[in-house]
Amino acid sequence: MAEERTFIAIKPDGVQRGLVGEIIKRFEQKGFKLVAMKFLTASEDLLKEHYIDLKDRPFYAGLCKYMHSGPVVAMVWEGLNAVKTGRVMLGETNPADSKPGTIRGDFCIQVGRNIIHGSDSVESAKKEAALWFKPEEMTAYKSCAVDWIYE
Ligand code: IDP
Ligand code: MG
């Protein structure tokens, strides 16, 4: 159970606004384990595939363009309920509905510039991690804090 993984990406606006450290800090401090991370400007093909479920939405093209407009920080984080808890830490899709204390609630205003992505299910987390990372880019190590985070 503590091995559940979620795919998190700091979007180009989060990078440009200097929020990379703040966002990584929140996942580290929560107790989640960093499994994989890279900094890249994602190709349009990768982004179209990443958001393929939204291909019929009117904002799909603009979303892919926004995500391609600069570098992103792609990450895989691991821990108990990492997917669901990750989504709680992000806040609602629309920052206007996100509570203070969440990443979107604290740092952004509009849905089209909501600074961070997080997988919405264990299944999509697996798909997304495999899309963004090669198997050899996923690390394997034991966190020294694990026995102090889990009972
Ligand atoms: P999520 O990121 O919270 O999972 P999704 O519905 O999967 O939300 O949408 C993916 C992304 O598409 C959102 O994070 C946001 O960047 C963008 N998006 C969603 N709805 C709109 C919209 O109405 N206008 C513009 N962009 C949107
Ligand atoms: Mg989504």
Side-chain angles (χ1 to χ4, degrees):
M1 277 295 272
E3 271 102 68
E4 186 173 300
R5 291 175 172 184
T6 188
F7 175 77
I8 300 289
I10 305 171
K11 298 179 177 182
D13 45 347
V15 171
Q16 291 288 350
R17 293 182 53 210
L19 295 169
V20 169
E22 172 65 34
I23 289 170
I24 292 174
K25 185 181 80 164
R26 290 185 179 211
F27 283 86
E28 275 191 317
Q29 289 186 337
K30 179 70 177 168
F32 289 135
K33 183 180 126 179
L34 183 60
V35 171
M37 175 159 68
K38 66 169 102 166
F39 186 52
L40 74 161
T41 301
S43 70
E44 286 174 275
D45 284 350
L46 171 61
L47 294 164
K48 282 182 193 158
E49 182 60 30
H50 174 79
Y51 282 124
I52 195 71
D53 293 348
L54 300 172
K55 67 178 186 317
D56 297 326
R57 305 295 288 273
F59 56 83
Y60 177 66
L63 171 62
C64 293
K65 193 174 166 210
Y66 150 58
M67 288 295 288
H68 180 64
S69 66
V72 301
V73 180
M75 299 173 278
V76 175
W77 288 90
E78 182 182 281
L80 186 65
N81 295 323
V83 170
K84 184 165 176 250
T85 301
R87 293 284 290 193
V88 173
M89 290 167 67
L90 262 58
E92 299 299 319
T93 300
N94 188 340
D97 301 325
S98 301
K99 293 203 170 54
T102 65
I103 293 166
R104 288 165 172 167
D106 287 349
F107 300 119
C108 54
I109 293 173
Q110 278 194 316
V111 69
R113 294 289 182 271
N114 64 359
I115 73 167
I116 186 163
H117 167 83
S119 307
D120 62 6
S121 68
V122 173
E123 194 194 0
S124 57
K126 282 185 185 145
K127 234 191 272 176
E128 292 169 0
L131 181 66
W132 287 77
F133 292 98
K134 298 180 191 132
E136 63 267 29
E137 291 174 326
M138 308 280 271
T139 63
Y141 66 101
K142 188 188 173 196
S143 161
C144 68
V146 70
D147 296 329
W148 299 101
I149 292 169
Y150 300 101
E151 62 179 0

